[in-house]
């Protein structure tokens, strides 16, 4: 497919600021990669002067994969194709010592942050069950991403969670610094601090990079934009690509005003609109347009599609979530009989709790399905255990890793001994590692710790010291990790714990797969220098926070996922379920008196995932905490152009609703 005139205009505009409004399904990745190829091959710009940033590792890999098919590998040498966070990590690895950190810093993932918050709460005699750590972390993240502006809001609030967040924030920051650790927000915050405090370092990057591109610019927050501005320096060759109509991450701190105000920041900017949708039928696009045009704070634009179809959007209202699931799964069976592959069918919902009845109905009818974002490789216990061991080997100050590994596999180091260590740590202001060293060195220190436990601690400490030396001295790390897994006793413990041979093999395979990952990481031919264990751990932390990977691309299963998770994806047939007031728009948004614009954008994103067929469903009643509650259809349904949608309710059910549905409904009534 050749580039259309607007796409070509975006590709050829290289010098100066450029804003590309790329509507859903308009081929923005194609434009970005063609633009980079044009810069390198036709404009003869060195790849090493180009920075192209995205928000997920997946999209960065997609850009790289496409470019390698267009441009010789040697011509791409030095180009930055990465996420904001990966670039921040790269900069910090070079210069973090200037900010008072050791170069061997540890990057915490969300689980580590939770563990740290729980530890800090307990020190303050707060019960983590009363104040969910995830909610506290979200507030801390907003403080960092708004450069402390959100902290002022916390101090003005009387909400209990806000009070806890503002009280614990200084302790959280101190704990990170004390353990030479960073969280993900620090990967943007600290490079910005670095450029502010050390202009000579910023100047070094200004000389290195001259051309900048940002994908999904509508998802940018103030901190990321400041980082980009400081990185860019005097250069004005900035191309941003995005769609204000698909801005759905305000809860993470993204600011839609950054894309809407781009022309104010760059009055001489060129603006290109990509309005032709190559994904969905014309009637789906017309329906989606009619919805999103109700948002006032947006750039005026209207998508169009040349894919003509007379099939309207189908809306069906059922009695409850059980009937809703029966209807959707009956339509899935019908589509399957007509030749559709299950992987081309998706059920989208606003929140995860809505998935249960659909899972139940799919299981009852033996239809394979996949809950996207569910249990993945990095959730496996044995994988997390090995990673924790690598972390404590790399950084003895990592108390979270110590707590996880000290009795894994079982060493008879019980809760009493650990409690004694914790108390001593708090009273003396020492790390757990230092307390353990004292226990090992002196039989009189903490007499409540028995001699057998001291012996086990000694063996554990010796194991860690042995492999610290091995990882530091070995030319290749993967064989050392394989040896460690065997010597640690983890393989043996799995064989003792499990009786099912298949489960044993699967868990052993997971550990071997981690060794494979390290091996591939070391063998990356684009790497300029030998990687360290810290480099590998940083890479794992980024992967663990990224979107779940589709490990089996040909896996033929119905996809169940939230609307947020569906962003960037497409399916032949899409079922958007639970289109009710309180669900979408979300009750909390409405109750707090906030604008429903982002909820409308979320619904718009869901609609534009469908290529050929779009179903919308709701239920008259829905159970909450075991009680059946009346609901009403979402206000958004009334905003859709009535010529694009078939509205059907339970009492109007006809053969058009599908024979499978009517049969299952009759069974339900008889039951």
């Amino acid at each position: 497919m050749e580039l259309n005139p607007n796409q070509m205009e975006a590709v050829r505009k290289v010098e100066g600021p450029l804003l590309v409004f790329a509507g859903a399904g308009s081929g923005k990745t194609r434009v970005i990669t063609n633009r980079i190829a044009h810069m390198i091959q036709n404009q003869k710009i060195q790849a090493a002067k180009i920075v192209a940033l995205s928000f997920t590792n997946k999209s960065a890999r997609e850009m790289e994969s496409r470019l390698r098919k267009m441009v010789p590998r040697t011509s791409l040498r030095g180009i930055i194709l990465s996420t904001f966070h990966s670039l921040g990590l790269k900069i910090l690895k070079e210069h973090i010592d200037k900010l008072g950190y050791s170069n061997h810093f540890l990057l915490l993932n969300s689980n580590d942050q939770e563990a740290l918050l729980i530890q800090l709460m307990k020190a303050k005699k707060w019960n983590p069950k009363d104040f969910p750590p995830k909610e506290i972390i979200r507030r801390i993240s907003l403080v960092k991403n708004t450069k402390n502006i959100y902290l002022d809001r916390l101090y003005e609030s009387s909400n209990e969670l806000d009070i806890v967040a503002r009280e614990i924030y200084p302790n959280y920051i101190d704990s990170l610094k004390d353990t030479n650790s960073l969280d993900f927000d620090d990967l943007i915050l600290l490079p910005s601090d670095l450029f502010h405090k050390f202009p000579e370092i910023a100047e070094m990057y200004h000389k290195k990079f001259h051309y900048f591109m940002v994908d999904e610019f509508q998802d940018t927050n103030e901190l990321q934009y400041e980082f980009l501005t400081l990185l860019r320096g005097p250069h004005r060759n900035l191309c941003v690509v995005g769609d204000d109509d698909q801005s759905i991450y305000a809860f993470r701190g993204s600011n839609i005003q950054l894309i809407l105000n781009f022309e104010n920041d760059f009055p001489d900017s060129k603006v290109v609109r990509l309005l032709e949708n190559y994904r969905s039928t014309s009637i789906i696009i017309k329906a989606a347009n009619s919805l999103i045009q109700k948002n006032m704070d947006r750039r005026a634009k209207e998508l169009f599609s040349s894919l003509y179809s007379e099939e309207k959007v189908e809306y069906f209202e059922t009695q409850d979530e059980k009937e809703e699931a029966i209807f959707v799964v009956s339509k899935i069976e019908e589509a399957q009989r007509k030749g559709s592959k299950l992987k081309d069918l998706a059920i989208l919902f606003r929140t995860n709790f809505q998935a249960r009845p659909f899972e139940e109905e799919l299981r009852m009818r033996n239809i394979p399905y996949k809950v996207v974002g569910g249990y993945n490789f990095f959730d496996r216990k044995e994988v997390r255990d090995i990673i924790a061991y690598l972390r404590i080997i790399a950084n003895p100050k990592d108390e979270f890793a110590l707590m996880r590994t000290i009795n894994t596999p079982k060493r008879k180091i019980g809760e009493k001994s650990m409690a004694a260590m914790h108390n001593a740590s708090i009273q003396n202001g020492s790390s757990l590692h230092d307390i353990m060293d004292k226990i090992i060195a002196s039989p009189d220190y903490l007499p409540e710790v028995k001699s057998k436990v001291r012996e086990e601690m000694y063996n554990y400490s010796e194991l860690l010291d042995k492999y610290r030396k091995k990882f530091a001295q070995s030319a290749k790390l993967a064989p050392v990790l394989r040896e460690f897994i065997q010597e640690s006793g983890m393989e043996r413990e799995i064989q003792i714990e499990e009786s099912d041979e298949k489960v044993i093999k699967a868990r052993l395979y997971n550990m071997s797969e981690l060794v494979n990952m390290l091996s591939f990481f070391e063998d990356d031919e684009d790497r300029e220098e030998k990687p360290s264990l810290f480099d590998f751990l940083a890479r794992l932390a980024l992967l663990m926070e990224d979107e779940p990977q589709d490990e089996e691309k040909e896996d033929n299963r119905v996809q169940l996922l939230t609307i947020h998770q569906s962003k960037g994806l497409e399916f032949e047939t899409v079922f958007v379920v639970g289109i009710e007031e309180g669900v979408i728009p979300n009750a909390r948004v409405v109750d707090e008196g906030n604008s429903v614009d982002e909820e409308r954008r979320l619904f718009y994103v869901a609609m534009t995932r469908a290529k050929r067929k779009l179903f919308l469903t709701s239920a008259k009643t829905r159970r909450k905490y075991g009680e059946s509650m009346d609901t009403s259809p979402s206000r958004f349904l009334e905003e859709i152009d009535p010529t694009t949608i078939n509205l059907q309710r339970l009492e109007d059910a006809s053969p058009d609703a599908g024979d499978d549905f009517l049969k299952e409904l009759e069974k339900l009534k008889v039951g």
Side-chain angles (χ1 to χ4, degrees), residues 4 17 44 54 114 135 222 235 258 300 366 572 591 613:
N4 66 38
K44 306 303 178 186
S54 64
E114 280 193 55
E135 280 299 310
E222 287 93 341
H235 304 297
L258 292 173
N366 293 316
E572 290 292 323
D591 292 344
K613 192 68 183 166

Side-chain angles (χ1 to χ4, degrees), residues 96-362:
I96 198 170
D97 57 311
K98 300 276 190 187
L99 297 174
Y101 290 81
S102 158
N103 284 327
H104 290 161
F105 58 86
L106 186 69
L107 180 57
L108 304 187
N109 60 42
S110 54
N111 290 319
D112 303 325
Q113 285 179 279
E114 280 193 55
L116 172 57
L117 256 296
I118 289 169
Q119 184 177 317
L120 293 174
M121 284 182 188
K122 287 181 176 178
K124 288 180 174 285
K125 310 297 185 189
W126 294 340
N127 188 345
K129 291 181 180 178
D130 296 334
F131 311 108
K134 277 189 172 67
E135 280 299 310
I136 306 302
I137 290 167
R138 187 177 71 82
R139 285 163 169 78
I140 288 173
S141 180
L142 284 170
V143 169
K144 290 189 172 189
N145 281 288
T146 59
K147 301 214 72 183
N148 286 347
I149 292 172
Y150 190 77
L151 190 60
D152 295 335
R153 281 184 56 187
L154 294 182
Y155 272 101
E156 293 167 3
S157 172
S158 58
N159 178 283
E160 276 193 333
L161 288 173
D162 290 341
I163 293 169
V164 169
R166 78 190 185 213
E167 290 294 322
I168 214 161
Y169 179 68
N171 305 101
Y172 175 80
I173 299 300
D174 290 344
S175 293
L176 289 182
K177 194 71 182 282
D178 290 345
T179 57
N180 201 46
S181 302
L182 312 182
D183 63 21
F184 271 75
D185 296 321
D186 290 330
L187 296 182
I188 310 297
L189 182 64
L190 293 184
S192 297
D193 287 347
L194 188 72
F195 291 156
H196 275 302
K197 293 173 180 175
F198 302 95
E200 67 277 13
I201 294 177
E203 177 65 23
M204 185 184 78
Y205 285 99
H206 299 161
K207 290 178 180 177
K208 187 174 184 180
F209 302 131
H210 290 186
Y211 296 87
F212 303 84
M213 296 181 68
V214 182
D215 187 15
E216 303 286 7
F217 187 67
Q218 77 279 351
D219 295 334
T220 310
N221 63 37
E222 287 93 341
L223 185 61
Q224 290 159 341
Y225 190 52
E226 182 189 41
F227 170 53
L228 177 65
T229 302
L230 292 167
L231 179 71
R232 182 173 54 81
H235 304 297
R236 295 174 54 77
N237 305 316
L238 173 62
C239 169
V240 299
V241 184
D243 181 12
D244 52 315
D245 290 335
Q246 296 186 75
S247 178
I248 59 173
Y249 292 113
F251 68 95
R252 293 184 188 168
S254 67
N255 184 356
I256 191 174
Q257 295 304 320
L258 292 173
I259 190 170
L260 295 177
N261 292 334
F262 187 83
E263 293 161 86
N264 295 332
D265 293 345
F266 298 91
D268 60 334
S269 60
K270 172 87 173 172
V271 180
V272 176
R273 287 173 169 80
L274 306 182
L275 301 180
E276 182 168 5
N277 178 287
Y278 294 97
R279 174 192 300 153
S280 308
T281 65
S282 55
I283 205 155
I284 290 173
I285 292 303
K286 185 178 180 183
N289 279 337
S290 64
L291 171 78
I292 200 61
Q293 284 169 3
K294 301 299 187 295
N295 274 6
M296 301 302 294
D297 197 10
R298 65 184 290 268
R299 285 289 180 270
K301 53 191 171 302
E302 188 166 337
L303 294 188
F304 67 93
S305 169
S306 300
L307 302 171
Y308 178 75
S309 172
E310 293 185 354
E311 282 197 86
K312 291 185 177 183
V313 176
E314 299 285 346
Y315 166 68
F316 202 91
E317 181 187 64
T318 60
Q319 184 61 43
D320 56 26
E321 60 262 63
K322 176 65 176 174
E323 288 182 1
E324 185 181 35
I326 290 173
F327 172 76
V328 169
V329 177
S330 296
K331 286 294 183 183
I332 287 171
E333 285 186 325
E334 188 180 309
Q336 194 178 18
R337 282 200 301 272
K338 291 179 180 178
S340 294
K341 292 183 178 179
L342 292 177
K343 67 178 182 179
D344 293 330
L345 310 173
I347 302 173
L348 308 187
F349 32 83
R350 176 65 177 84
T351 53
N352 281 305
F353 80 85
Q354 295 171 259
R356 186 203 54 77
F358 299 97
E359 288 191 70
E360 188 176 318
E361 192 64 27
L362 288 163

Side-chain angles (χ1 to χ4, degrees), residues 617-658:
T617 66
S618 67
K620 284 187 172 182
T621 63
R622 194 170 292 277
R623 287 186 182 274
K624 291 184 180 178
Y625 304 107
E627 290 188 22
S628 184
M629 311 283 286
D630 290 339
T631 69
S632 58
S634 170
R635 69 189 74 181
F636 296 150
L637 289 166
E638 297 176 1
E639 299 176 353
I640 298 173
D641 183 338
T643 67
T644 66
I645 186 169
N646 282 329
L647 298 170
Q648 194 170 37
R649 289 179 166 79
L650 182 64
E651 54 267 25
D652 306 323
S654 67
D656 292 336

Side-chain angles (χ1 to χ4, degrees), residues 559-573:
Q559 308 289 296
L560 277 70
L561 62 167
T562 65
I563 301 172
H564 282 100
Q565 290 168 331
S566 76
K567 179 99 178 337
L569 303 179
E570 58 184 43
F571 305 92
E572 290 292 323
T573 300

Side-chain angles (χ1 to χ4, degrees), residues 463-601:
L463 179 72
L464 298 182
D465 287 342
K466 175 181 178 180
Y467 280 92
R468 279 191 191 105
K469 292 173 185 172
K470 286 202 169 212
F471 275 112
Q473 296 169 359
S474 300
K476 285 285 186 180
L477 304 181
V480 179
L481 177 55
R482 184 170 60 245
E483 182 185 341
F484 172 79
I485 290 171
Q486 292 168 346
E487 187 173 344
S488 69
M490 291 187 64
E491 287 185 341
R492 185 172 61 255
E493 178 147 292
I494 287 173
Q495 290 167 336
I496 293 169
E497 282 180 350
E498 305 290 353
S499 55
D500 188 327
E501 193 63 33
K502 287 183 180 178
V503 175
I504 292 172
K505 284 184 179 179
R507 295 186 67 187
L508 294 179
Y509 171 80
N510 288 334
M511 291 195 292
S512 69
E513 190 58 27
L514 202 55
V515 178
N516 293 339
M517 287 180 71
L518 178 51
S519 179
F520 280 119
F521 182 75
E522 290 188 278
D523 292 343
D524 183 354
E525 57 191 67
D526 291 334
R527 191 177 300 285
E528 297 176 0
E529 56 187 24
K530 177 182 176 292
S532 70
L533 189 54
F534 285 94
D535 295 328
F536 181 58
L537 287 167
R539 174 63 179 159
L540 288 179
L542 288 171
L543 286 174
M544 289 167 80
E545 290 302 298
D546 202 10
E547 72 288 345
Q549 299 304 306
D550 188 358
E551 296 170 10
E552 302 171 89
K553 292 183 180 177
E554 298 306 314
D555 195 12
N556 191 32
R557 293 186 282 176
V558 178
Q559 308 289 296
L560 277 70
L561 62 167
T562 65
I563 301 172
H564 282 100
Q565 290 168 331
S566 76
K567 179 99 178 337
L569 303 179
E570 58 184 43
F571 305 92
E572 290 292 323
T573 300
V574 169
F575 300 87
V576 189
V577 301
I579 311 300
E580 301 147 20
E581 286 293 307
V583 178
I584 186 164
N586 185 269
R588 185 166 66 177
V589 174
V590 176
D591 292 344
E592 292 176 357
N594 294 325
S595 166
V596 298
D597 281 10
E598 179 151 330
E599 292 291 299
R600 189 179 284 110
R601 292 194 292 268

